[in-house]
Amino acid sequence: MPLPADLDQLDADTLRRLLIEQERELVWRQTKIERLTHELALHKRHRFGVRTERLSTEQVQLFEGNRPSNPVVPRQR
């Protein structure tokens, strides 16, 4: 809610009511932002989570088929 142009002309009770309305609006907006941020995090986790990074069975078989029979092991110093 926009502030009225004549704030300096308002009485104390009207200013208190206006302040209460502004506070309610602020709390509502902060709550909505927190809820949407949480919802976005859930969607990101669902879409980009660990499950999408796992190899399929076919991909694992491709890697295992190309594995040398005598793997090279790095020497310890």
Side-chain angles (χ1 to χ4, degrees):
M1 174 179 149
L3 293 174
D6 60 344
L7 272 177
D8 55 345
Q9 302 298 322
L10 299 176
D11 63 16
D13 288 336
T14 306
L15 287 173
R16 281 188 194 96
R17 276 187 257 125
L18 183 61
L19 183 61
I20 290 169
E21 288 176 26
Q22 292 289 323
E23 177 67 19
R24 285 181 185 154
E25 178 73 18
L26 179 62
V27 168
W28 181 84
R29 288 178 184 216
Q30 287 174 333
T31 303
K32 179 140 184 142
I33 289 171
E34 289 171 4
R35 186 174 53 83
L36 290 172
T37 302
H38 178 69
E39 186 176 327
L40 180 61
L42 291 176
H43 286 293
K44 283 181 178 179
R45 190 176 310 135
H46 177 71
R47 175 152 183 172
F48 303 112
V50 176
R51 288 185 316 182
T52 60
E53 295 178 8
R54 291 187 183 154
L55 296 176
S56 68
T57 305
E58 293 83 17
Q59 290 171 324
V60 172
Q61 289 172 351
L62 284 173
F63 284 113
E64 287 180 353
N66 293 332
R67 186 183 301 170
S69 57
N70 293 332
V72 177
V73 178
R75 291 187 296 161
Q76 299 283 332
R77 290 185 183 198

